[in-house]
Amino acid sequence: MPSLLKKLTTVALATCAFQATAADRPIQFPDYNSALTITGFATQSLHSTHTPGWGIGGDAVYSRDFFNQGGGFVYFPEGTDDPIFNVYIGSGYKRYAQLQYGFGTEGELYRFRSENDLAYLWVLARHLMKLDLSLPTRYENYPNNRWVVLFSAEKYDNRHYLDNVSVGLGLRY
C-alpha cells in the first residue's frame, strides 16, 4: 500500500504533466514562460564530505511565471539507506530564481533553484572568452533549445547533515 507522501507526489506530478502538455501552450515561442522540466543532477552535502557525502537525484518541476511546484528525490549511496523523496511548492522569477518550500521523507526543507538554458550559457561563455560583455541575442542562443542547466541548494529543518548543493542537466517540455 503506497504511503500518503507517495500518493501526494504522484498527484502533484500528474497535475504538472497534464498542464505542461496542453496543446495551446507550445514551447516553440521564446516568450513562453511556463514549462515542465525534468532534471537529473549530482549533489554534494555541505556539512560533511563523508556522511552523507555525494549523491545523485532527479526532479520534475512545473514553473509558470511566478509560481512553481514539483517533486524529486535524492539518493546518497554513502550516507542513507533509502532515497529521500520531496514535494515542493514555491515562487520566484520565472525559472531563473525560485524559492521553494518542501516536505518529504526527511521532514521540511527550503530550496533555492535556478534553471538556465544550456544554449544561452554556451553563447554567454563564448562572449566572455572574447572579453565581449554583451548579453547573447535571441538569434545567437537558439531559444527553442530545450536543454537546461540546473543549480539548486537545499536546507533541511531538522537534519542539517542532509543540506546540499546540486548541479544538473535537464530537458524542458
Side-chain angles (χ1 to χ4, degrees):
M1 191 88 192
S3 69
L4 178 62
L5 180 62
K6 289 181 183 178
K7 289 177 186 177
L8 291 174
T9 303
T10 304
V11 169
L13 292 177
T15 304
C16 292
F18 288 136
Q19 290 176 355
T21 57
D24 60 336
R25 291 182 259 143
I27 194 70
Q28 285 79 14
F29 299 108
D31 295 329
Y32 173 69
N33 292 322
S34 66
L36 173 70
T37 305
I38 299 173
T39 312
F41 52 83
T43 186
Q44 173 66 46
S45 61
L46 293 175
H47 300 294
S48 173
T49 57
H50 300 293
T51 305
W54 66 274
I56 58 173
D59 67 2
V61 174
Y62 177 75
S63 301
R64 176 117 187 148
D65 296 326
F66 299 105
F67 173 75
N68 56 71
Q69 64 184 5
F73 75 95
V74 180
Y75 177 63
F76 295 101
E78 298 174 343
T80 60
D81 295 331
D82 298 323
I84 302 166
F85 292 95
N86 298 315
V87 178
Y88 313 103
I89 189 166
S91 182
Y93 179 68
K94 299 180 186 177
R95 296 179 315 273
Y96 305 120
Q98 302 172 347
L99 295 174
Q100 298 174 328
Y101 170 76
F103 187 80
T105 55
E106 297 295 325
E108 299 177 7
L109 69 134
Y110 301 96
R111 183 179 193 211
F112 171 78
R113 183 178 190 278
S114 179
E115 175 185 313
N116 287 292
D117 295 337
L118 183 61
Y120 183 84
L121 294 176
W122 177 261
V123 173
L124 183 64
R126 284 192 359 220
H127 279 212
L128 292 176
M129 290 183 73
K130 297 176 186 174
L131 299 176
D132 179 8
L133 300 179
S134 65
L135 294 175
T137 65
R138 209 175 256 192
Y139 300 108
E140 292 178 299
N141 70 341
Y142 313 109
N144 293 337
N145 192 331
R146 296 173 19 200
W147 289 98
V148 296
V149 175
L150 165 84
F151 170 78
S152 69
E154 293 181 343
K155 176 163 180 27
Y156 287 81
D157 260 356
N158 298 328
R159 296 187 171 59
H160 296 293
Y161 65 93
L162 292 175
D163 296 350
N164 62 69
V165 293
S166 306
V167 175
L169 187 63
L171 193 59
R172 185 175 57 238
Y173 292 97

